[in-house]
Each structure stands twice: as C-alpha cells, then as structure tokens.
Amino acid sequence: MIHCPDCKLPLVTLQLERLELDYCANGHGTWLDHMEIESLLTASPSMFPVPVEGKKDGRRCPRCHRRMRIVVLSSDLELDTCPAGDGIWFDPTEIQALANVVREREGDDSLDEVFLTLSETMEGRL
C-alpha cells in the first residue's frame, strides 16, 4: 500500500479502463506509476519527464521513499517525479494542466476524458 506524500494516509485506487490510478481522498493529489504514465502518453512519449532532472522536493516518493525532484514541463506545470523513475505525483491542478500541455503540444485531447473522470472522482461527484 502506498501513502500520500502530504498527509501520509493510504491512497485510494481508482480503476479507469486499463489504468489504475492512486489518489489522496483528502484531495492532495494523484500518483501515477511510470507504466501508467507511459500508457497514458503512448502518443506523446516525449512528455514523460526525465526523473533525474530538477531540484529536490520536500516530498518523498510513495514507492521508494526517496526525495522527489521537481521537473518543469511548462510555465504552469511543475511535477514531482521520483528520481528512481517510479512515477509522478500530481497536485490537484496539475492533472488538468498535463492534459492542457498534451493538447497544446501534440494536438491530442485523449487525456481530457481520463482526467475529467479522475477530477470528478476526487471531488466526490461520481
């Protein structure tokens, strides 16, 4: 079981089609393992941040507990990445920001529905 890097409570698992996403029930964010990210971004592999870049973050990876690193993908999107490549922690607004970046850079809106469902679930609307 993995825990939220902010509140330390166990993350809730949400099954969306072929993806298994882990999110904080307190609304702190969402964890995507590296395989889930690659599955989401099959059309956009260049979007997956290199985990060793960026400055060290105060948060720890929910999988390996190393200090995560901050990687900047755009002016409004900074992601907490595991230095071992285990995955990425998304703060609540970063989920939609990633969908926006993919749409703008790749012309691909396929992530919109996935992230809308995830956002609605996190807000308790589903």
Side-chain angles (χ1 to χ4, degrees):
M1 176 164 295
I2 61 173
H3 296 82
C4 174
D6 288 335
C7 69
K8 311 300 185 233
L9 292 176
L11 295 176
V12 177
T13 301
L14 173 66
Q15 187 74 36
L16 288 175
E17 298 177 20
R18 66 188 191 285
L19 299 173
E20 189 175 281
L21 309 175
D22 302 296
Y23 71 96
C24 175
N26 289 329
H28 293 123
T30 304
W31 173 256
L32 295 177
D33 291 323
H34 76 281
M35 294 304 290
E36 294 159 346
I37 295 164
E38 289 173 3
S39 177
L40 277 175
L41 302 177
T42 53
S44 311
S46 63
M47 292 296 302
F48 185 70
V50 178
V52 295
E53 290 181 4
K55 63 182 178 181
K56 283 191 177 180
D57 189 2
R59 292 177 173 149
R60 294 196 175 268
C61 172
R63 293 271 182 223
C64 70
H65 305 289
R66 291 182 180 176
R67 287 204 184 275
M68 290 192 276
R69 298 197 179 258
I70 296 173
V71 175
V72 178
L73 289 183
S74 73
S75 60
D76 61 344
L77 182 57
E78 293 183 0
L79 300 177
D80 303 273
T81 65
C82 172
D86 288 336
I88 299 177
W89 178 258
F90 291 86
D91 292 333
T93 59
E94 292 171 343
I95 291 285
Q96 186 59 52
L98 177 63
N100 294 342
V101 168
V102 170
R103 189 181 325 104
E104 289 169 12
R105 288 186 186 175
E106 308 292 330
D108 181 359
D109 64 356
S110 62
L111 296 183
D112 288 345
E113 187 174 336
V114 171
F115 290 139
L116 175 63
T117 301
L118 180 60
S119 296
E120 288 175 347
T121 301
M122 289 176 64
E123 293 170 10
R125 289 193 243 165
L126 290 180

